[in-house]
Amino acid sequence: MAMLRDLGSRDAQMEQLIVEVRDGLLEMAGVSKARGYECVIVQGSGTFGVESVVGSVVPRWGPEEAAAGVPEPHFLVLSNGAYGKRMASMCDVLGIRRTVLQWDERLVPTADEVSAALAAEPSITHVGVVHHETTSGVLNDIDGIGKAIHAANPDIVYIVDSMSAFGAYPVDMEASHIDYMVSSANKNIEGVPGFSFAVCRRAHLETTKGFARSLALDLHAQWRSLDDTAQFRFTPPTHALAAFRQALREHVAEGGWPGRLARYQHNAKVLKDGLASMGFKLYLDDAVQGCIISTVLCPDDPKFSFQCESGTCLFLLCVCCGLL
Ligand SMILES: *Cc1c(COP(=O)(O)O)cnc(C)c1O
């Protein structure tokens, strides 16, 4: 219904809507402008938001900087699935030096492992991790990892892809020392696809002018435009934003993230119990299993058939989007 209203991209009502969405997201993240945080909306799917952050918050580095003795920025990706790998691919395309620590997709990086990795590699300037790895449904300890990073070196920039966790799982930007947290319109907040957003610690964002390796995905420039004019630099996804404002209101009405988490946990339990009663087994250990995605082992039974291109022995069920 909200999408049936056609607002112009530079209409005063659209500007008002953009302000409401940015403020609503800061509130959902438990922060505010007054406490030093900014919400930057980026057109495109979630990947565009992550790429906008990765490509905009790492200083550019080339022969001139090398000659001047400036150390090369070094991005550490803690990966236990496809989205961690995607962050590493972004570094490769953008020409950012990176190291990937890879865990099995059924395991999680621990704070101690991260501390050890940082002690062994003091050149690390940025760390990226996925909050809820949608590949398997595993939930990573972004708080413990953030504290370990901060203890190792408070100047390290900490980036969390919370695409499929934010809105249901809590994110404490301040306590977990998160500099950038990225999510999108169409996961747990249940809007329609069309944009992503980053909640950013302003004190760092302010230092990143001119870092971007892309014009359209320049996070700092996008922030300045949204703040100075309440408008996007380029055409915004007007209908997706209108739907999202309604989705935000429904999120608040459901009791914020605790309310949403309770519903997803209930759904996940119904799913799990039902699957168990039919003899299906889950892929992950309960200790690391989130409630958003349940990965199920395909039974070895002639009566079971699940069309799957890769021929793997898994299928995924998602409580917010349905069967993947
Ligand atoms: C969905 C998702 C993304 C972004 O995927 P898009 O298809 O670009 O929206 C990134 N990271 C995680 C963890 C995701 O679940």
Side-chain angles (χ1 to χ4, degrees), residues 103-187:
W103 280 260
D104 184 278
E105 62 194 17
R106 285 163 297 181
L107 301 177
V108 296
T110 67
D112 286 347
E113 287 170 317
V114 173
S115 300
L118 293 173
E121 193 55 271
S123 64
I124 298 297
T125 53
H126 296 69
V127 177
V129 71
V130 174
H131 187 176
H132 170 266
E133 238 312 345
T134 322
T135 312
S136 62
V138 79
L139 200 59
N140 286 325
D141 175 18
I142 56 160
D143 180 59
I145 293 170
K147 287 177 172 138
I149 294 168
H150 191 74
N153 177 358
D155 291 335
I156 291 176
V157 178
Y158 183 31
I159 298 160
V160 175
D161 168 353
S162 186
M163 209 66 64
S164 59
F166 187 63
Y169 283 99
V171 176
D172 191 331
M173 300 279 302
E174 285 170 317
S176 310
H177 306 286
I178 299 167
D179 296 289
Y180 297 91
M181 188 276 299
V182 190
S183 188
S184 74
N186 57 289
K187 296 259 165 103

Side-chain angles (χ1 to χ4, degrees), residues 225-289:
S225 173
L226 287 168
D227 242 30
D228 290 342
T229 66
Q231 292 183 2
F232 283 63
R233 290 176 301 154
F234 313 121
T235 307
T238 52
H239 294 80
L241 285 161
F244 192 74
R245 172 167 63 179
Q246 178 59 27
L248 278 180
R249 289 171 179 170
E250 291 177 15
H251 189 270
V252 170
E254 195 174 7
W257 69 260
R260 191 137 299 179
L261 182 64
R263 173 160 61 85
Y264 288 178
Q265 279 173 334
H266 173 77
N267 287 353
K269 186 172 179 331
V270 170
L271 186 69
K272 188 179 168 191
D273 293 349
L275 285 164
S277 74
M278 290 186 274
F280 287 95
K281 295 208 163 40
L282 294 187
Y283 180 52
L284 294 179
D285 253 18
D286 274 352
V288 296
Q289 171 78 64

